[in-house]
Amino acid sequence: MDTDLSLAALGTLETICRELAVQAGELIVRERPAHLGVAATKSSATDVVTVMDRRSEELLMEQLRARRPDDGILGEEGASVEGTSGITWIVDPIDGTVNYLYDIPAYAVSVAACVGDPAGDWESVAGAVFNPVTGDLFHARRGGGAFLRSTGSEPSVTALFVSGEHDLGHALTGTGFGYDAAKRAQQAQTLTRVLPQVRDIRRAGSAALDLCAVAAGRLDVYYESGLNAWDRAAGQLIVTEAGGVVRGVGAQPSRELTLAGPAVLVEALHGVLQSVTD
Ligand code: IPD
């Protein structure tokens, strides 16, 4: 995996992540149709796509093709371009599509620049997650720390740090559920084991924002199984740059499991999750 990127190169990638997340985020709010419907379904009848998921991904594709013609692109709605530069952009044009459909203000555009093989072993080196309703722009680049930039009426920049909580019993814990009914049944079973051991559970409906909430200490810890690369590519870097740990069943997060938070809580929750499968 090419990890040899200069500070200037990382800075450029982070700037593009920020600019494109904001541009696409503004588009999905500004041009949201009055009667937004479901344009298509994917893995199950509840896994929906709206016309704005597609338009947002088209905008991200166009911009990336123009600005970074040698890079690869992988997007939730089908974007798939092989690059030659070693950088692949992993984008989620709307993370939290069901929230977007219901006009619940917890959805985001996620843009990450990654190195490695997007179908296998990859690593994010820059990323941004933008909630266009709240104006919260979370961003990070490798080695540069994680930040929350408020783009609202009173702009501000805050450095992010994960929670200082040490006790799983006091940990506000985020999670999410997939779209497949059988998978959800398993996730519900796991939840019955986790819920009695933590402060409480939150299911906000956007994995990208959940990871950013961990980075900002708004959640103590987070876990979910079944995430795709685009759900977590930007958010997981933002967590690690905020001093947290992101792991899976093994050291790396995977489709099987993504677990994020301060190291001590991640290890404690990992123990609980392991006991479910034992
Ligand atoms: C979903 C959201 C949700 C998570 C699901 C994801 P989408 O992404 O991130 O919070 O629980 O696993 O698929 O479909 O809204 O882009």
Side-chain angles (χ1 to χ4, degrees):
M1 201 185 292
D2 174 21
T3 51
D4 192 19
L5 286 161
S6 69
L7 257 183
L10 287 170
T12 302
L13 296 174
E14 188 184 16
T15 300
I16 295 174
C17 290
R18 282 170 43 186
E19 288 177 356
L20 295 196
V22 170
Q23 234 179 294
E26 288 177 349
L27 173 89
I28 62 177
V29 169
R30 190 180 61 240
E31 300 201 16
R32 180 194 164 94
H35 301 289
L36 179 70
V38 172
T41 58
K42 293 187 287 187
S43 61
S44 79
T46 52
D47 185 2
V48 298
V49 184
T50 71
V51 65
M52 295 310 292
D53 291 79
R54 290 177 175 158
R55 287 194 52 198
S56 175
E57 186 157 302
E58 276 161 24
L59 179 149
L60 295 170
M61 272 281 270
E62 266 169 36
Q63 287 289 322
L64 288 169
R65 295 300 281 158
R67 293 169 74 155
R68 305 282 305 186
D70 299 333
D71 297 353
I73 308 173
L74 175 68
E76 176 171 21
E77 306 313 334
S80 174
V81 174
E82 253 188 65
T84 52
S85 65
I87 302 285
T88 301
W89 296 86
I90 302 186
V91 302
D92 194 334
I94 303 181
D95 186 60
T97 299
V98 174
N99 285 345
Y100 182 69
L101 184 65
Y102 282 77
D103 211 4
I104 297 169
Y107 52 85
V109 177
S110 171
V111 180
C114 305
V115 293
D117 173 7
D121 192 14
W122 55 271
E123 182 195 331
S124 317
V125 293
V129 174
F130 180 55
N131 177 336
V133 186
T134 62
D136 281 352
L137 173 64
F138 301 89
H139 60 95
R141 64 168 179 265
R142 187 172 63 193
F147 298 90
L148 166 57
R149 209 166 273 264
S150 169
T151 62
S153 51
E154 288 182 32
S156 62
V157 187
T158 315
L160 298 179
F161 300 97
V162 295
S163 148
E165 182 56 62
H166 280 80
D167 180 351
L168 187 61
H170 293 167
L172 188 60
T173 302
T175 193
F177 309 114
Y179 292 112
D180 173 72
K183 176 81 187 161
R184 283 180 169 183
Q186 278 172 13
Q187 288 173 322
Q189 285 242 313
T190 303
L191 191 59
T192 63
R193 300 284 281 272
V194 173
L195 183 54
Q197 307 214 41
V198 298
R199 180 188 293 279
D200 203 349
I201 289 285
R202 292 290 179 271
R203 194 288 192 248
S206 160
L209 288 175
D210 287 337
L211 288 163
C212 293
V214 168
R218 295 175 181 174
L219 283 174
D220 293 307
V221 68
Y222 164 80
Y223 77 97
E224 184 163 348
S225 59
L227 290 188
N228 289 297
W230 44 79
D231 298 314
R232 62 182 167 87
Q236 70 187 42
L237 177 70
I238 293 168
V239 171
T240 54
E241 287 299 325
V245 166
V246 183
R247 64 166 294 172
V249 174
Q252 295 306 320
S254 66
R255 205 166 150 69
E256 209 178 333
L257 179 65
T258 299
L259 188 44
V264 63
L265 294 182
V266 163
E267 290 322 305
L269 184 53
H270 185 245
V272 174
L273 295 173
Q274 257 184 330
S275 74
V276 177
T277 49
D278 285 349

